[in-house]
Amino acid sequence: MMMDGGMMGGGMMIAMGLVWLLIVGVLVLAAIALVKYIRSDSGK
């Protein structure tokens, strides 16, 4: 990947970062929800 695109290169980097942040956030939320579900289910 060439990084001398200037503005577009920076925009691509920011977009990739936001996408990764979104994916990681969703995975973390899903993991927390899963743990809470398992704990509450086995606690009964």
Side-chain angles (χ1 to χ4, degrees), residues 1-21:
M1 240 177 111
M2 303 273 286
M3 276 298 159
D4 58 348
M7 190 79 173
M8 199 173 131
M12 285 280 285
M13 286 287 285
I14 292 164
M16 286 284 284
L18 285 172
V19 169
W20 273 112
L21 207 69

Side-chain angles (χ1 to χ4, degrees), residues 16-36:
M16 286 284 284
L18 285 172
V19 169
W20 273 112
L21 207 69
L22 193 70
I23 291 166
V24 170
V26 169
L27 284 173
V28 169
L29 284 172
I32 291 166
L34 194 67
V35 168
K36 279 187 177 181

